[in-house]
Amino acid sequence: MTQQQPPWPSPISSSSSNPRGKCWLILVLMAVLPLVADVGALPFLFTHIKPQINWTQPEMESWVIEEQPRSIEPHLEPVLHPNRTHRALSSDSTDAEFLQRLVSIRHNQTASSRMLWYDVAGGDGLVYPPFVDKALKLLNLKQVAFEIENSVMSKVTCTACRAGAGMLQHQIQSGKTDAELIRMITDYCTNLNIQSARVCQGVAQLFGSELIYVLKRVNLSPDELCSFVIGDGCADVYNPYHEWEVIFPPVPKPPRLPDLPIPMEAAPFFKVLHISDTHYDPHYAEGSNADCNEPLCCRLSSGRPATPNAAAGKWGDYRKCDTPKRTVDHMLSHIAETHKDIDYILWTGDLPPHDVWNQTKEENLAIIKDTVKQMVEMFPGVPIFPALGNHESAPVNSFPPPYVNQVDISISWLYDELDIQWRRWLPQSVTHTVRRGAFYSVLVRPGFRIISLNMNYCNNKNWWLLLNSTDPATELQWFIYELQSAEFSNEKVHVIGHIPPGHSDCLKVWSRNFYKIISRYESTVTAQFYGHTHYDEFEMFYDPHDLNHPNGIAYIGPSVSPYYDLNPGYRIYYVDGDHDATTRLVIDHESWIMNLKEANLYGYPIWYKLYTARAAYNMKALRPSDWNNLLNELTNNQELFELYYKYYWKNSPARPTCDAECKKRLICDCRSGRSHDRKHFCAEVESKIDEESSKSWKSWFYKGLTNS
């Protein structure tokens, strides 16, 4: 186990004192709950008995960040589109001249040059006992399965996790072989009806060996393990193995402005396409069973539909089904025809389908290659900036850091192929970081950079991080290096990734460090773009010491996949372009969807613009302060919130009603760019909603009495 260490002194210190992704780690742990019933196998009931922790400083890694190649030449050549009323750059203006003007007018110029970092060389059919039967009823496995599926964890899931972790650890310590453990997991998963027999078998085979490998090598109690995986739904258990901090360079933060300037009207802009969560299913079969009892339906293997209404639609289905090839093809053709003036594309991951019990490395690689080929053919000459999703690996969520380098479990099979495929759009300078950790940095235009992060290193379902979660692949320290270099060069940065940093699927310690980085470089990072949730939403960032100062905005794009209860969709952004007063902020964005119900009913899909952000929400700009004002209005204005809720679900006719608890959750999700910290960000908002809900209830009650 190697702790990641960047090249400057002591940058990371270790203290000594939904979307709908399946949390298979907890599922496997649940499956082994009834393996034994003796008290000695239930350490989660005796939390005062803690194992001895022998903390040793891991060996330092030799990867040197500043020795890696950097993208320093503009990657995007501006194109003059005839349908626009402005020119990108005057004909007599070169990139060098434009960059020089930006440098001369910058606000955050440092007084003198300095070394970026210090010199490293300087140092520094089973019958259960009555006890088990009662425990199973107490754990409420149906509720646990629902919470796992929707990434909304409560104490019920926490209890199941602790029980399963304690049982599995007991079986490992008793000397059971891997084959015996996997067979037990399969049997109990099947007999408890957690999933179908083939899903249980596939999950146990795909996930069991890696989970057992990790649990054999960690010294964590069930409390510590489940707090790590579930987060604030399972208490905040202190764990010295997973407490670390990034260290910033000794460069003062530029003075912050009272507010960012509003982008100039009628100025040059970039038109940007954002596609996320395609989840293309090559085995989708029209007319197959869409109402099966497995995590993914609408395949021939799902069986025959019991009723005509249970049959999978031609263009997709609102139930647990992914995207047919014809729908992906039609969407890309529509985009290519409707948006001929796209300047570049953001592609934020999750290409394979949700058949996570039945995936192979070869099949996932084939889907990646086919999809990349299709994007190249549909958008020739258009730069595409991809980010890695959590479904690209097999098994899902399994992304070992570089220190896990054994041939049979290394992730190089995926990263090496990504480097080959992504090289169609990216400069050769990104090879080193893509092959190391699937992250990269590219200078798009003079003064404008895109940084793609591998958010699977914050994924709390990536159980390899249980071995050592300290800045996996040194990604965050590299991120700081890139942002500091960008600040020195007066570059603005857009960050792209898959899992939003404030989502419950992101590790609390990783998210906390990321939040600090965004706060430090708030004058450099002007926008962030993610996917993963499948919904149409956003996340806010604030000064950690002043929640009245919003300093960042993350746009979470809608999914192409309808999985589940959703319409397929994509986003178009308009980004402040090349001119002397450019802010590189998002000027406006549009969400486009296809009504799946009508497409299946009439046999042909129609893609249309659902809404434009500034017009729909009456916003004068899309600065962080404007989004913060919108959040306040959503809290107080029920009619406006219902409009947001409609767009959040991409106008799906299958969307459920939203009560006060639902409203609190959605607004708090928007407010929380830092994961598992709802108490800090949401107490005031929840109090207001509770107060309004109480008034509404009293009004309804008194009105009813009056009418009586």
Side-chain angles (χ1 to χ4, degrees), residues 103 118 165 195 209 228 246 282 334 352 364 433 449 570 624 665 683:
V103 172
Y118 290 119
Q195 280 293 343
S209 58
F228 179 90
V246 293
H334 148 76
N364 279 16
T433 54
R449 180 174 295 273
Y570 66 88
R665 180 176 61 82

Side-chain angles (χ1 to χ4, degrees), residues 192-208:
L192 290 173
N193 293 318
I194 296 175
Q195 280 293 343
S196 67
R198 65 173 185 157
V199 172
C200 288
Q201 183 177 5
V203 167
Q205 291 294 334
L206 271 176
F207 298 85

Side-chain angles (χ1 to χ4, degrees), residues 121 196 222 235 305 317 420 453 473-474 494 514 520 524 547 582 614 637:
S196 67
D317 204 281
I420 295 172
L453 296 178
T474 331
H494 284 184
F514 182 86
R520 165 59 184 85
T524 299
L547 292 184
T582 183
R614 288 175 62 182
N637 186 333

Side-chain angles (χ1 to χ4, degrees), residues 589-645:
H589 76 67
E590 305 166 350
S591 285
W592 290 65
I593 67 163
M594 178 256 280
N595 188 309
L596 189 56
K597 181 179 180 180
E598 293 181 357
N600 287 332
L601 183 62
Y602 300 116
Y604 189 80
I606 296 177
W607 297 86
Y608 67 96
K609 182 166 59 177
L610 177 63
Y611 76 99
T612 302
R614 288 175 62 182
Y617 300 128
N618 194 26
M619 303 170 72
K620 61 181 180 180
L622 299 188
R623 302 165 299 175
S625 59
D626 300 305
W627 286 106
N628 184 60
N629 292 338
L630 174 64
L631 265 184
N632 293 332
E633 291 184 47
L634 291 176
T635 305
N636 301 319
N637 186 333
Q638 183 61 25
E639 184 177 353
L640 184 64
F641 174 79
E642 289 172 359
L643 182 67
Y644 172 78
Y645 186 67

